């Protein structure tokens, strides 16, 4: 039945690899932006020349 | 005087360029998932397992690119004419992102290995050199976290980064030099065509945009952390001077 739905025994490995890869990148990005928001109020505008 | 405007605090490392890059990366990732998981066909021999290729190869290439950028930025810091802490921060940011991509490459590769070889890990030349590269850059990041001035940090980590960059070609050519269990380069050998090649291309473009976006933001966070360190040092010096004046 699962095979008729296009699900093979390899599918879980494929799904996990996508979840780990994209999830890992998302967690890194989220933590990075959270850190930026946390310290930004303590930093003067001159130290943020890109703004 | 800190800028406390709501926009500045909500997106402290964002600019118009970085927002465009972020949106483009997100669109690319959605494309990659749609093509990688649903639209591209199964491989004749690897069947659905081939879908791991579309994230495994781009993440490995991006890890290489990140470590090469770390090496180039470190060299730029060591040259007197181009010496700037911005190069050091780009090197550090790129190494962090490289470690992230290398880590997920090892995980996706090990899952692909389980499908292809029946085992998660084997000590063949490609896997061993990749693991060694991963550990080397974790060490590089640990060295960056040691004490000292920003210049001391930049100098010692730049030297380590230049040495570590030499490992990148070792990992890349390990499949040619030692004939391991790991497969040869599928793209170079023309094993991929049509939609499969296009999907891989989408993955490489999406991950490259994502890499630029991550490094851009991360090096700005590092710049703010350095500024905070300097403020802390200035405050400590002022307090010490005040104590000295009282005595």
């Amino acid at each position: 039945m699962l095979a008729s739905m296009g699900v093979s025994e390899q599918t879980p490995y494929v799904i996990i690899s996508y979840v780990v890869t994209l999830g890992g990148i998302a967690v890194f990005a989220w933590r990075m932006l959270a850190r930026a928001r946390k310290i930004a109020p303590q930093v003067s505008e001159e130290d943020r020349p890109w703004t | 005087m800190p800028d406390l405007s709501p926009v500045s605090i909500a997106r402290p490392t964002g600019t118009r360029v970085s927002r465009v890059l972020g949106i483009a990366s997100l669109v690319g990732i959605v494309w990659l998932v749609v093509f990688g998981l649903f639209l591209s066909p199964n491989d004749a021999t690897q069947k659905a397992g081939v879908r791991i290729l579309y994230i495994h190869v781009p993440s490995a290439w991006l890890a290489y690119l990140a470590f090469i950028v770390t090496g180039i930025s470190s060299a730029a810091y060591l040259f007197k004419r181009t010496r700037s802490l911005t190069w050091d921060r780009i090197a550090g940011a790129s190494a962090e992102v490289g470690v992230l991509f290398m880590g997920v490459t090892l995980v996706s590769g090990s899952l692909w290995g389980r499908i292809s070889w029946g085992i998660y890990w084997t000590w063949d030349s490609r896997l061993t050199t990749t693991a060694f590269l991963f550990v080397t850059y974790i060490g590089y990041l640990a060295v960056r976290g040691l004490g000292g001035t920003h210049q001391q940090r930049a100098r010692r980590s730049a030297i380590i980064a230049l040495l570590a960059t030499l490992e990148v070609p070792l990992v890349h050519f390990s499949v040619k030099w030692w004939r391991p269990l790991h497969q040869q380069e599928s793209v170079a050998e023309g094993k991929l065509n049509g939609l499969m090649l296009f999907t891989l291309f989408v993955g490489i473009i999406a991950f490259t945009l994502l890499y630029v976006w991550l490094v851009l933001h991360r090096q700005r966070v590092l710049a703010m952390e350095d500024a905070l360190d300097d403020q802390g040092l200035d405050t400590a010096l002022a307090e010490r001077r005040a104590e000295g004046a009282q005595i």
Side-chain angles (χ1 to χ4, degrees):
Chain A
M1 185 185 156
L2 286 175
S4 66
M5 291 165 66
V7 178
S8 69
E9 61 182 28
Q10 299 177 344
T11 303
Y13 296 102
V14 175
I15 301 292
I16 292 168
S17 67
Y18 274 70
V19 168
V20 169
T21 301
L22 301 179
I25 294 168
V27 168
F28 179 88
W30 183 80
R31 288 190 62 171
M32 178 181 73
L33 295 178
R35 173 81 181 143
R37 282 194 198 101
K38 187 180 174 187
I39 63 174
Q42 303 163 54
V43 178
S44 67
E45 201 172 354
E46 298 90 71
D47 290 323
R48 288 186 281 143
W50 57 87
T51 52
Chain B
M1 182 71 188
D3 175 16
L4 298 176
S5 66
V7 173
S8 176
I9 298 305
R11 300 182 191 124
T13 51
T15 58
R16 186 174 293 175
V17 172
S18 71
R19 277 192 282 281
V20 170
L21 259 175
I23 292 166
S25 323
L26 206 59
V27 171
I29 295 293
V30 171
W31 267 54
L32 171 65
V33 171
V34 171
F35 276 89
L37 289 181
F38 304 105
L39 299 183
S40 69
N42 281 352
D43 185 59
T45 49
Q46 300 204 26
K47 299 187 173 66
V50 76
R51 296 175 192 282
I52 296 178
L53 173 118
Y54 308 127
I55 52 163
H56 178 73
V57 172
S59 54
W61 271 106
L62 257 296
Y64 289 168
L65 175 72
F67 295 149
I68 289 167
V69 168
T70 297
I72 292 169
S73 306
S74 300
Y77 178 80
L78 288 176
F79 278 118
K80 278 188 179 172
R81 291 179 66 179
T82 52
R83 182 161 296 169
S84 159
L85 281 174
T86 302
W87 287 118
D88 169 64
R89 292 181 200 118
I90 292 171
S94 189
E96 282 186 27
V97 177
V99 165
L100 169 73
F101 278 112
M102 192 98 278
V104 295
T105 301
L106 285 168
V107 174
S108 62
S110 133
L111 289 162
W112 201 5
R114 177 69 181 79
I115 293 173
S116 304
W117 312 323
I119 45 171
Y120 287 105
W121 186 263
T122 179
W123 292 102
D124 91 334
S125 58
R126 169 55 74 83
L127 275 67
T128 305
T129 52
T130 304
F132 189 59
L133 185 67
F134 180 63
V135 172
T136 301
Y137 277 91
I138 287 177
Y140 166 84
L141 293 177
V143 168
R144 287 188 67 84
L146 296 175
T149 63
H150 302 326
Q151 285 74 18
Q152 285 169 336
R153 174 198 70 197
R155 189 172 172 75
R156 70 171 171 245
S157 52
I159 293 166
I160 292 170
L162 285 179
L163 293 172
T165 309
L166 298 175
E167 281 182 46
V168 175
L170 186 75
V171 176
H172 182 67
F173 291 110
S174 62
V175 286
K176 289 186 188 294
W177 293 341
W178 290 295
R179 297 273 162 198
L181 188 59
H182 191 284
Q183 69 188 62
Q184 302 284 313
E185 296 157 358
S186 307
V187 181
E189 293 185 353
K191 287 180 182 170
L192 295 175
N193 47 42
L195 201 51
M196 294 168 103
L197 197 59
F198 177 74
T199 309
L200 181 61
F201 181 71
V202 168
I204 289 171
I205 297 291
F207 274 40
T208 305
L209 292 171
L210 194 60
Y211 163 78
V212 176
W213 183 84
L214 286 169
V215 171
L216 200 62
H217 281 274
R218 186 63 189 130
Q219 70 92 14
R220 286 172 181 168
V221 175
L222 290 175
M224 289 199 294
E225 285 176 343
D226 281 355
L228 265 185
D229 277 350
D230 291 339
Q231 281 175 25
L233 190 63
D234 289 344
T235 309
L237 282 172
E239 284 172 359
R240 189 62 64 86
R241 281 197 198 101
E243 283 172 18
Q246 284 173 357
I247 295 168

